[in-house]
Amino acid sequence: MSQASLSNVDGRPEVEDLDGDNEWTPLAQKHWLRPSKSIKVKNDVVKIEIWDVLEKEGFQYRSLLTLENLHLLEKFSLDNGLLRKECAPLVSISLWQNLASDVARERKFEEHPQLRKAWRAASRKYDAADDGTQAKLRFDRAWLYTMLLDFAGRLHDLSIENLVYCERFTEFLTDLESQLPTRRYVNTLLNDLNLLALIKLSPIFNEEGNGLFRDLFVLLQHVVNFPIEDNSGIQHTQVQSYEIHCAALARLQRISLKHFKDKLTVLALSNYASIDKREELEAHFTALSDIELANLSGLLGFRTKYPPVSKVEVVRPLLLEILLSAHERRKTFRETMRDLSILPTESKLYEPTLLRNEHYDGSRPLAIPKLNLQYLSVGDFLWRSFILYRCESFFEIRKTMEETVKHLRPSEAQLPNSVRFDGFSRMAMPISKPAIIEVVPPKVGDDRPASVRAEIGLDVSRLAESVRREWESLRQDDVVYLLAVEPPDKSWALTNGNAVHAGSRHFGIRSLRAAEVEQVLDDNGRVLREIPDGENNGYIQRPRLRRLLVKLDAAAYRTDSARKAEVKHDIYESINVIVRRKGRENNFKKILETIKSLALSDVPVPDWLQDVFLGYGDPSSATYTNMSNRLDQLDFRDTFLDWKHLVESLPGQSVEPDGRPSLEQGIEPPYVLDGIAAATLEPARTSKKRRRDDAETSQPKRRKIKVSTYSPPNNGPYPVDAPKVNRVRFTPVQVDAIMSGSQPGLTVIVGPPGTGKTDVATQIISNLYHDFPSQRTLLIAHSNQALNQLFQKITNLDIDERHLLRLGHGEEDLETDTSYSKHGRVESFLDNRGHFLSEVSRLAADLEAPGAHGNSCETAGYFNSVYVLPAWSKFWDLADEPQSSSSDIIEAFPFHQYFFNAPQPLFPPTALRDQILDVARGCQRHIKRIFTELEDIRPFEILRTSRDKANYLLIKEARIIAMTSTHAAIRRQEIADLGFHYDNVIMEEAAQITEIENFVPLTLQNAKDGQLPLQRVVLCGDHLQNSPIIQNLAFRQFANLEQSLFLRLVRLGVPTINLDRQGRARPSIAELYKWRYPNLTNLPNVLSEAEYNCANAGFRYEYQFIDVPDYKDNGELQPVPHYFQNLGEAEYAVAIFQYMRLLGYPASKISILTTYAGQRALIRDVLGHRCAKNRMFGLPRIVTTVDKYQGEQNDYIILSLVRTTRVGYLRDIRRLTVALSRARLGLYVLGRRSVFETCYELQDAFKQLFSMPNQLLLTTGEMFPTSRLVNDDVAATEMTGVAHLGQYVYEMTKAKIESLKTGTAQLPAIEETPEMMKMDEEADDDMAGNAVEEEEEGQEEDIDGVQ
């Protein structure tokens, strides 16, 4: 496809094109758009009705897009089951008919005897077939071989059309080699044809401009030589790889000594280390003639003859390349990863391979690995993830550096070889050259310095206080970037292959080196901590200098030192700018180090999960119904509210109270269920015919689940002793998810918006906490926001707070009174120590025990052993005597005085003997808990440093540990080295986490006996909402880097539990996204509760799409690339907010969302001018982008779609699903109807929105809240545009002010919304920035792209 056709956006099909007005729609409806579970498309349909038609019209762009929108192209990819089935015969063992000789095939059979059986079966199948079937079988086994010979012949054609074909074919071969089912027999054929040698010596490979093809070859070479056993899929260790290499050399030596003794004796007698390098081997082979070289190749089993169609000439260079590539020692993927630098330089950021990814449009492949449904091994997955994450990180760093230098505006200074900076960036600062203060000699066996330390002076005297504090807050191990910046030189351009991109000099970046922060020092060289600015006679003394101690990139320093000796140029002398990045953006080094360490350490995946993770075998093998250690009995505690709830939650099962099968009313909770494994056990998979016969003859059996109950223990007489219980009436599907998550194995829970997946996850955690006291659970979420939501719900359940721990930043945003961070937990333990010791002193006073028993945890333990336990023993000896009366027991109770502050009377006068004993047991448990907690606190008395206390808390005390996926990736090695262990992993919003960040939390502990002791993995998410955000289009679409483990498991067919009842939004609003979830229904609360049935005060409809025309002759604007704004929609959104506030809507119940960061900034600006300082309005709860708001909700959402020329990235249906599902009671969408009604992908959502009037309809005479019902027919006023609504709000505001003056109205209460606090922080920054005039003049706003 030509570039011109690709850029022709006018050819995009419209809705009418996809509704039947073209030749493709009837075909799609007939063959693959039918509502059927299995879709079968015949080969002649694909060939005649699709391929031939496309080929005849020249593969027009419009037709291809139409087919894509009709979901044809996604049906026919290698990840599709139908296509895999059709392609399987083309890559079967029958391919080996094309090997060079029977000897080569027999050698394979000797290595793997089981393959001989498969070969004979294929031969018998061919012999028994009729002529037509035999012809098809001959085609199947010859197809790939013929294609490979044709490809070999094309390697001599240098035309651009042939080059594109060869690139695509190389990509195709790489894909075949990257998955075990297709690799198993193909790899042998490629090696037999010596394909890598043929490519390497070909003219097309050695053509200077074909850089992309060479990179594709390197990728193919990597997968062909990947150290894995093709048949079993077992990855070779480093030792095994070397042994295989030595075996090949040994065979070469034996044949050389036997057949070429006179010329290759030295080679035959040499040790392996002296002959495993290419140069050494080539020197030995020079003694052989061409004929002898060919004979040696033949004796070693290499092909030396090719069919004429391949155009391959077997000449000496080819024979040498075959022999050398087969016997030289190659780097394994681990060694390659070890050598790859993690820290960038200008040469790495501007590598042609990376720059090619900038211009990806689908017309050419890319030389980067892909994340597929299947992986060769865990090591293969880690290698692909490392390469892609490194590329994505370097891409983001390069963009940051270019943008920063652009803001600095470097230009020529008056002094020679100096640069003047006319601009400003808060993320960068001009500096003098860094001073190298220490170079530590290399370690043994290494050739680079062990460490290179430097000092950098920062002049902070002219910085605003907020900016200065950002520089001072740099932490240890933060990465900063040292740039040698010069005025941009437009003549520097880099061209390679298909990519054209300006080099670093084009942007003014002469060189770049990365460094890690060690310390930030003050003017006097002291370590900078929270030191307040000094004051002198009332004037603030501004600091002038900060010193930054950094560690330079040792590998780059070694290279620079060698270059300095050659060209007499010291890069570090020319460095004049230091750049920092925001914390979350700058985590790449730690994450890459984590991935690298995992790949180098051969970290295992639990046996029960490995096949499913790699994409092989039965997708359901890891679910608990197929696990050998599944549990038949579980205590579900407060999961079920009553007997009716229990019965309703287990439809199709026979639920009987244990021992009382005829009891209709059942028993009271809590419930212990027995027989749940049998109730859900899936039969073993049998043949299709057997399953069909069984389905015809057997009837479904009702399984019996026996239910028992128990009396929850009395925990004490105080109200705080009463356990917190669940109040959520879970649906049957939610109960199924809770049951599965409580069992060993893998649980995948798909939760559409509002279906309560967080409640389900919370209940699973509670059940695991109580049912398995010795197990620990790790909670993972994509964002701090999602993690905090989950954690806050956990704190409301009956879980002891001393067992909760929240790691990483974001803990401060938890809306709880208690701190759950490491240091907060340590402080809490120490605070509790004082409280419990005071209780011990009270007990001692009650028992009249002399001594300071409440001095320490140690003395308290002694007191418990000597006084408390004997007192209880004496009491129970009396209480257990049958003749003891109730009054005797009460009188003998030893702690009356201690419990004087408990609700009285402690023992009710009318209480029976058993009730009195139960109260006494509760009191004993209360006292026992005091000493148990003091025993847990005792180590914190002994440990001295806060670090030791925090680490002890993590590895010994906490049982529920929460962190973000990013924190897990950053701290993985540190956490594992502490000896941290856990049994269960629960991931919230798992579909928003990249696959590598899904994987790392499974490996935060070291293996025991070669296995990870992981018992459960629970993934909660929704793959139909937003995926992980990847900035680079090539990595997102071509490499599939946005794939999450959650999505891949769903696509692999792993059984999922699909929550099916929503309780968030009005049913009418839920209809806007219900089309994405066909089985989604409503919970009773959204049908019956008043807030869902009452209308929105002042609005005719509970939701509307409002068509916003151009405002001041402008629609969407783009001040800088990818920074979209729409002033008309911004004004409209703020006017709606003002209108709602005037009617009495709480500001905290309103959120304003938009699809672009530029529009978010514009709306905030309008709010700042119109509402921020006016108490009548205030600010909404939050103004943010749709992507940032996933997982959140609010009663009323105002949504700005921004775009007026094309749909933009909202074309991604997942993003639209998020946007439409955030509102509970009201949704008002601002956009351009003419743009969105022509987008086929979005029609199911917008057709309901478009059924409403285009203009906002308001009702008069109402205040919030209203008693009017949603379906009541009332008169409404139409707002004809932004100006009309603005005038309407203005008149209402004037009337409100008059009412305030006369005292007939009151100002609303002040609400501290998150948006208000954020604006207050920004205002403080602005005030600080205005203090320095020079900075104010040059400062430019940093621009965010699409979030």
Side-chain angles (χ1 to χ4, degrees), residues 1280-1291:
T1280 57
V1282 182
H1284 188 185
L1285 179 61
Q1287 182 64 30
Y1288 193 83
V1289 169
Y1290 173 71
E1291 297 294 338

PDB file of all heavy atoms in Angstrom, residues 1280-1291:
ATOM      1  N   THR A1280     -30.193  27.503  23.391  1.00  0.00           N
ATOM      2  CA  THR A1280     -29.811  27.440  21.970  1.00  0.00           C
ATOM      3  C   THR A1280     -28.306  27.467  21.753  1.00  0.00           C
ATOM      4  O   THR A1280     -27.852  27.303  20.628  1.00  0.00           O
ATOM      5  CB  THR A1280     -30.443  28.612  21.217  1.00  0.00           C
ATOM      6  OG1 THR A1280     -30.039  29.840  21.833  1.00  0.00           O
ATOM      7  CG2 THR A1280     -31.964  28.494  21.242  1.00  0.00           C
ATOM      8  N   GLY A1281     -27.527  27.692  22.805  1.00  0.00           N
ATOM      9  CA  GLY A1281     -26.085  27.710  22.632  1.00  0.00           C
ATOM     10  C   GLY A1281     -25.384  28.156  23.893  1.00  0.00           C
ATOM     11  O   GLY A1281     -25.999  28.369  24.954  1.00  0.00           O
ATOM     12  N   VAL A1282     -24.062  28.330  23.772  1.00  0.00           N
ATOM     13  CA  VAL A1282     -23.251  28.724  24.920  1.00  0.00           C
ATOM     14  C   VAL A1282     -23.681  30.088  25.454  1.00  0.00           C
ATOM     15  O   VAL A1282     -23.847  30.284  26.666  1.00  0.00           O
ATOM     16  CB  VAL A1282     -21.755  28.759  24.539  1.00  0.00           C
ATOM     17  CG1 VAL A1282     -20.901  29.124  25.747  1.00  0.00           C
ATOM     18  CG2 VAL A1282     -21.315  27.429  23.966  1.00  0.00           C
ATOM     19  N   ALA A1283     -23.876  31.049  24.543  1.00  0.00           N
ATOM     20  CA  ALA A1283     -24.225  32.403  24.974  1.00  0.00           C
ATOM     21  C   ALA A1283     -25.577  32.420  25.683  1.00  0.00           C
ATOM     22  O   ALA A1283     -25.748  33.123  26.691  1.00  0.00           O
ATOM     23  CB  ALA A1283     -24.241  33.340  23.764  1.00  0.00           C
ATOM     24  N   HIS A1284     -26.532  31.652  25.175  1.00  0.00           N
ATOM     25  CA  HIS A1284     -27.863  31.604  25.786  1.00  0.00           C
ATOM     26  C   HIS A1284     -27.781  31.060  27.212  1.00  0.00           C
ATOM     27  O   HIS A1284     -28.334  31.651  28.151  1.00  0.00           O
ATOM     28  CB  HIS A1284     -28.786  30.733  24.929  1.00  0.00           C
ATOM     29  CG  HIS A1284     -30.217  30.779  25.374  1.00  0.00           C
ATOM     30  ND1 HIS A1284     -31.197  30.000  24.802  1.00  0.00           N
ATOM     31  CD2 HIS A1284     -30.845  31.499  26.342  1.00  0.00           C
ATOM     32  CE1 HIS A1284     -32.345  30.242  25.395  1.00  0.00           C
ATOM     33  NE2 HIS A1284     -32.159  31.152  26.329  1.00  0.00           N
ATOM     34  N   LEU A1285     -27.070  29.959  27.374  1.00  0.00           N
ATOM     35  CA  LEU A1285     -26.940  29.384  28.714  1.00  0.00           C
ATOM     36  C   LEU A1285     -26.174  30.334  29.629  1.00  0.00           C
ATOM     37  O   LEU A1285     -26.516  30.498  30.804  1.00  0.00           O
ATOM     38  CB  LEU A1285     -26.226  28.024  28.643  1.00  0.00           C
ATOM     39  CG  LEU A1285     -26.006  27.321  29.991  1.00  0.00           C
ATOM     40  CD1 LEU A1285     -27.329  27.019  30.677  1.00  0.00           C
ATOM     41  CD2 LEU A1285     -25.214  26.021  29.802  1.00  0.00           C
ATOM     42  N   GLY A1286     -25.136  30.978  29.095  1.00  0.00           N
ATOM     43  CA  GLY A1286     -24.376  31.926  29.892  1.00  0.00           C
ATOM     44  C   GLY A1286     -25.232  33.069  30.385  1.00  0.00           C
ATOM     45  O   GLY A1286     -25.134  33.492  31.553  1.00  0.00           O
ATOM     46  N   GLN A1287     -26.082  33.609  29.520  1.00  0.00           N
ATOM     47  CA  GLN A1287     -26.986  34.702  29.916  1.00  0.00           C
ATOM     48  C   GLN A1287     -27.988  34.212  30.959  1.00  0.00           C
ATOM     49  O   GLN A1287     -28.306  34.917  31.914  1.00  0.00           O
ATOM     50  CB  GLN A1287     -27.719  35.227  28.681  1.00  0.00           C
ATOM     51  CG  GLN A1287     -28.644  36.399  28.938  1.00  0.00           C
ATOM     52  CD  GLN A1287     -27.896  37.645  29.420  1.00  0.00           C
ATOM     53  OE1 GLN A1287     -26.740  37.837  29.058  1.00  0.00           O
ATOM     54  NE2 GLN A1287     -28.549  38.456  30.261  1.00  0.00           N
ATOM     55  N   TYR A1288     -28.476  32.989  30.757  1.00  0.00           N
ATOM     56  CA  TYR A1288     -29.437  32.403  31.695  1.00  0.00           C
ATOM     57  C   TYR A1288     -28.816  32.286  33.093  1.00  0.00           C
ATOM     58  O   TYR A1288     -29.420  32.644  34.113  1.00  0.00           O
ATOM     59  CB  TYR A1288     -29.852  31.022  31.175  1.00  0.00           C
ATOM     60  CG  TYR A1288     -31.054  30.416  31.859  1.00  0.00           C
ATOM     61  CD1 TYR A1288     -32.348  30.762  31.479  1.00  0.00           C
ATOM     62  CD2 TYR A1288     -30.900  29.475  32.865  1.00  0.00           C
ATOM     63  CE1 TYR A1288     -33.456  30.196  32.088  1.00  0.00           C
ATOM     64  CE2 TYR A1288     -31.999  28.905  33.488  1.00  0.00           C
ATOM     65  CZ  TYR A1288     -33.279  29.267  33.098  1.00  0.00           C
ATOM     66  OH  TYR A1288     -34.376  28.713  33.720  1.00  0.00           O
ATOM     67  N   VAL A1289     -27.571  31.806  33.153  1.00  0.00           N
ATOM     68  CA  VAL A1289     -26.868  31.663  34.427  1.00  0.00           C
ATOM     69  C   VAL A1289     -26.595  33.042  35.031  1.00  0.00           C
ATOM     70  O   VAL A1289     -26.692  33.233  36.253  1.00  0.00           O
ATOM     71  CB  VAL A1289     -25.560  30.866  34.230  1.00  0.00           C
ATOM     72  CG1 VAL A1289     -24.684  30.922  35.480  1.00  0.00           C
ATOM     73  CG2 VAL A1289     -25.859  29.423  33.860  1.00  0.00           C
ATOM     74  N   TYR A1290     -26.277  34.010  34.182  1.00  0.00           N
ATOM     75  CA  TYR A1290     -26.010  35.370  34.664  1.00  0.00           C
ATOM     76  C   TYR A1290     -27.248  35.949  35.346  1.00  0.00           C
ATOM     77  O   TYR A1290     -27.157  36.551  36.430  1.00  0.00           O
ATOM     78  CB  TYR A1290     -25.576  36.245  33.489  1.00  0.00           C
ATOM     79  CG  TYR A1290     -25.432  37.709  33.826  1.00  0.00           C
ATOM     80  CD1 TYR A1290     -24.384  38.159  34.635  1.00  0.00           C
ATOM     81  CD2 TYR A1290     -26.353  38.647  33.341  1.00  0.00           C
ATOM     82  CE1 TYR A1290     -24.255  39.509  34.947  1.00  0.00           C
ATOM     83  CE2 TYR A1290     -26.226  39.984  33.654  1.00  0.00           C
ATOM     84  CZ  TYR A1290     -25.187  40.419  34.455  1.00  0.00           C
ATOM     85  OH  TYR A1290     -25.065  41.743  34.760  1.00  0.00           O
ATOM     86  N   GLU A1291     -28.411  35.777  34.731  1.00  0.00           N
ATOM     87  CA  GLU A1291     -29.643  36.291  35.327  1.00  0.00           C
ATOM     88  C   GLU A1291     -29.947  35.582  36.644  1.00  0.00           C
ATOM     89  O   GLU A1291     -30.392  36.208  37.618  1.00  0.00           O
ATOM     90  CB  GLU A1291     -30.805  36.108  34.341  1.00  0.00           C
ATOM     91  CG  GLU A1291     -30.661  36.884  33.034  1.00  0.00           C
ATOM     92  CD  GLU A1291     -30.703  38.399  33.256  1.00  0.00           C
ATOM     93  OE1 GLU A1291     -31.250  38.827  34.292  1.00  0.00           O
ATOM     94  OE2 GLU A1291     -30.155  39.128  32.402  1.00  0.00           O
TER      95      GLU A1291
END
